[in-house]
Amino acid sequence: MTGRHLRPEATECGSDWHSDTGAAARTPTREYVEVIRQVLARRAPVEVAGRFHSHPYAGPDATGLGRPLKPITHPLRSSLPVLLGAEGPKNIAQTTRIADGWLPLYWSPLRTEVYEASLAGLRDGFMIAPMARAQVCDDVAEGLLPVKAMLGFYIGGMGHAARNFHADLMARMGFEEEARRIQELFLQGRRQDAVRAVPDVFADEISLVGPRARIAEKLAQWRQGPVTDLLVTAPDPHTLRVLAELNN
């Protein structure tokens, strides 16, 4: 992609716990990012007097013997980018302010308006790097089964019955009725039914599955939005080779 990148699956430098339960829930992430930046910069001993992270530790059971330390290791890059996994609208907005990039859980190039308010005023160089499963195959429905299995587990089983942030995200993306049905089936122990209840259209929008020509068309859709990098998971080397060729 011109000015954009396809990458193998990467590990984020930091992440949050997705929820949007209030400013206090976002404070630990801000403090955590500050600690990481000080460690990498190595300009001085790390000192953070935060509400959740204090270095040196100064809690009620502290010995008082702790002192600020500077890492012995010299990082090869003092400005290593910090990317956060964020899911709720306010967490995504905070990510644009305190991090160098964002790792979306689900990204549909056909529904970018879902994130429009949270991404308002992006600064130059900010990375948006969703993860997408890719598979070159002739049978699209069969190729989508692993995507649907992942979605069924996340939307149905990852969270409380009364509040599942993954299900809430799917609802914001236009699939509220389906999200609640998946959740209901999973919590009833009907896990295979929950997977089957995942709409093919939703699984298809957030992945790259099908014959080479179809994947090329879908990549063109991803290029039109604000995505800068694509973290690809693939089940076979052939799929990775095809993606590399399509990216040239």
Side-chain angles (χ1 to χ4, degrees):
M1 302 181 189
T2 304
R4 305 188 180 199
H5 310 280
L6 283 165
R7 302 182 186 274
E9 183 178 355
T11 301
E12 70 263 33
C13 301
S15 66
D16 69 11
W17 290 107
H18 306 300
S19 66
D20 262 351
T21 54
R26 293 184 292 277
T27 301
T29 303
R30 290 197 300 272
E31 294 177 1
Y32 178 79
V33 170
E34 174 59 23
V35 172
I36 295 300
R37 292 203 187 280
Q38 286 195 34
V39 169
L40 293 173
R42 205 178 175 276
R43 287 190 292 266
V46 176
E47 290 190 76
V48 175
R51 177 180 172 189
F52 295 90
H53 298 281
S54 59
H55 296 270
Y57 178 64
D61 57 342
T63 64
L65 301 177
R67 60 189 180 89
L69 295 175
K70 184 165 64 173
I72 297 174
T73 303
H74 293 248
L76 294 178
R77 295 173 60 190
S78 62
S79 59
L80 188 69
V82 174
L83 280 71
L84 300 180
E87 192 168 349
K90 294 179 181 177
N91 267 334
I92 297 170
Q94 172 178 264
T95 296
T96 67
R97 297 190 298 270
I98 68 173
D100 302 297
W102 170 46
L103 302 170
L105 179 63
Y106 311 137
W107 180 273
S108 167
L110 305 181
R111 302 174 192 270
T112 56
E113 71 281 357
V114 173
Y115 300 112
E116 189 173 355
S118 298
L119 298 176
L122 281 183
R123 63 185 182 278
D124 291 342
F126 187 84
M127 299 168 64
I128 298 179
M131 183 184 297
R133 178 181 170 88
Q135 183 174 357
V136 177
C137 59
D138 293 327
D139 190 331
V140 174
E142 182 178 351
L144 289 175
L145 288 177
V147 183
K148 294 179 65 169
M150 176 274 293
L151 288 169
F153 176 68
Y154 269 71
I155 294 162
M158 294 285 285
H160 191 274
R163 191 67 189 272
N164 180 315
F165 297 108
H166 308 308
D168 292 346
L169 173 57
M170 184 178 176
R172 289 197 299 274
M173 296 179 75
F175 298 91
E176 182 169 9
E177 182 177 343
E178 295 88 340
R180 304 311 170 198
R181 179 59 176 162
I182 294 166
Q183 211 178 359
E184 177 185 3
L185 290 169
F186 196 97
L187 293 174
Q188 291 174 356
R190 300 165 59 186
R191 298 191 176 189
Q192 291 304 315
D193 289 336
V195 170
R196 284 190 285 269
V198 175
D200 281 8
V201 63
F202 182 59
D204 190 36
E205 285 183 17
I206 68 170
S207 61
L208 296 163
V209 173
R212 179 188 176 114
R214 186 174 192 272
I215 290 179
E217 292 176 1
K218 289 173 66 66
L219 276 175
Q221 295 175 340
W222 288 70
R223 289 188 178 99
Q224 293 171 7
V227 169
T228 61
D229 298 77
L230 187 56
L231 308 182
V232 174
T233 61
D236 57 81
H238 174 62
T239 295
L240 292 175
R241 280 195 294 269
V242 169
L243 289 171
E245 292 166 0
L246 292 174
N247 194 44
N248 289 334

